Amino acid sequence: AAAALGAIVGAVVCYALVLPPVFDRWMALERWMRIGISVACLLPLAFFSPERPISAKRVAPGFSRLLSWLPRQLSWLPPSGGRSVESGFSRTRDPEWGFSRTQDPESGFSRTPRWRTLPAAGLAYFACLGVGFMLIEIGLMQRFVIFLGHPVYSLTVILFTLLLGGGLGSALSRGWVTQRRHAAAALGAIVVSVVCYALVLPPVFDRWMALERWMRIGISVACLLPLGLLLGVPLPAGVRMLAAERPSAIAWAWAINGVTSVLGATLAIFVAMHWGFTRVAFAGATAYGIAMLLAALMKRSATVPDAVV
């Protein structure tokens, strides 16, 4: 672990010193070549995780488990030999991946792909949260760039306020978001708030543009903090609902939420280039509206215990 962390520190220092002059020389290359060079430079650094440094002893077993897992996901047909489709198969629970599968005890092949046993509505709920959060954040950022007068101020104020509000909302939601209708109410409030922000903020900001910068920063924080509190509610509420339905799928939910967050940032740029930043905010509100509908499709549970999260 110490060696991996030391490698990260050394790599970051070398990147900061070496990359600027190297990039100046390669600026005339084609864009696709520059993208490939960027990926080649960043991939070794991304290989080392600050939370769990990767070692060769852990990579090899994990890679071998992945290779043994993939054929079972694709091999849902029963093995040949003239036996009945149902005979010889048993329901088992895979301790490595956390959900049940139908397996032939002799051949070891699964008759049904295990990804079909995952709760589709629950995972789609987390996907909508990941996409929607990034769409809302980037959609509002452009408005505050104009209001605050500099992209650095806009980025700092929005990230600080939304992340602070999201953390406080997540902490507070544990006490009062204990039922499905509470999570649905929070999602509906997010949809209404984002639509109102996208329509009301531009003319209001035009009137307050002449104020001092510190006053505009204070107004921005006051506007964004309530939205941040609401944005912090759906994720922990969804984890509690999914834990009541399928606890083993929580890891999949976190993974899908992270992936769709990255995709949401790319989608926000695409939508902004073609239809403007107001439509980006509307798209984020739409994603949260879909999440509200998906929450109703998850397994109904009157009360979800706080001990799950």
Side-chain angles (χ1 to χ4, degrees):
L5 292 173
I8 293 174
V9 174
V12 171
V13 173
C14 291
Y15 280 23
L17 297 177
V18 175
L19 287 184
V22 173
F23 283 174
D24 290 339
R25 294 184 179 182
W26 292 344
M27 194 65 68
L29 296 177
E30 296 290 335
R31 178 169 294 171
W32 66 270
M33 297 180 65
R34 284 178 282 155
I35 292 175
I37 293 172
S38 302
V39 172
C41 291
L42 294 175
L43 192 59
L45 183 61
F47 182 76
F48 296 97
S49 171
E51 298 178 357
R52 292 186 64 191
I54 297 176
S55 62
K57 294 182 179 179
R58 191 163 66 245
V59 169
F63 186 69
S64 63
R65 286 198 301 269
L66 178 62
L67 292 181
S68 63
W69 172 74
L70 287 176
R72 293 201 301 268
Q73 303 306 304
L74 301 177
S75 303
W76 61 86
L77 294 177
S80 59
R83 294 186 296 147
S84 173
V85 172
E86 297 296 335
S87 63
F89 288 88
S90 60
R91 299 293 296 180
T92 60
R93 174 168 290 276
D94 191 337
E96 180 67 28
W97 300 98
F99 40 87
S100 61
R101 59 191 174 92
T102 304
Q103 184 183 26
D104 180 7
E106 296 181 2
S107 65
F109 286 99
S110 298
R111 185 168 63 88
T112 303
R114 284 172 292 170
W115 55 266
R116 293 185 181 179
T117 65
L118 293 173
L123 297 183
Y125 172 89
F126 286 91
C128 290
L129 294 185
V131 173
F133 186 90
M134 296 306 299
L135 289 173
I136 291 173
E137 181 181 11
I138 296 177
L140 294 176
M141 191 174 296
Q142 180 63 20
R143 299 297 182 188
F144 285 89
V145 166
I146 299 174
F147 182 59
L148 297 177
H150 199 280
V152 174
Y153 292 113
S154 175
L155 179 64
T156 304
V157 170
I158 287 182
L159 288 181
F160 171 78
T161 308
L162 289 184
L163 293 179
L164 176 63
L168 293 175
S170 298
L172 296 175
S173 68
R174 186 166 184 169
W176 60 274
V177 182
T178 57
Q179 296 182 357
R180 186 179 305 277
R181 64 175 181 271
H182 297 157
L187 290 167
I190 291 173
V191 173
V192 174
S193 300
V194 171
V195 173
C196 292
Y197 278 29
L199 297 177
V200 175
L201 285 184
V204 172
F205 283 174
D206 290 339
R207 294 185 178 182
W208 293 341
M209 193 68 69
L211 297 176
E212 296 291 333
R213 177 167 291 167
W214 66 270
M215 297 180 66
R216 284 178 282 156
I217 291 176
I219 292 172
S220 301
V221 173
C223 291
L224 290 173
L225 190 59
L227 180 61
L229 290 172
L230 292 174
L231 290 174
V233 173
L235 184 62
V239 171
R240 288 192 285 268
M241 289 188 294
L242 186 62
E245 176 185 358
R246 186 70 63 81
S248 59
I250 293 179
W252 286 90
W254 283 110
I256 290 176
N257 182 262
V259 170
T260 52
S261 297
V262 178
L263 296 178
T266 305
L267 180 62
I269 297 174
F270 175 80
V271 175
M273 292 176 61
H274 289 82
W275 298 286
F277 284 94
T278 301
R279 301 294 177 85
V280 174
F282 287 161
T286 303
Y288 274 89
I290 296 174
M292 183 172 58
L293 298 177
L294 290 171
L297 299 178
M298 299 170 67
K299 184 178 179 181
R300 296 189 175 276
S301 178
T303 302
V304 180
D306 292 338
V308 171
V309 179

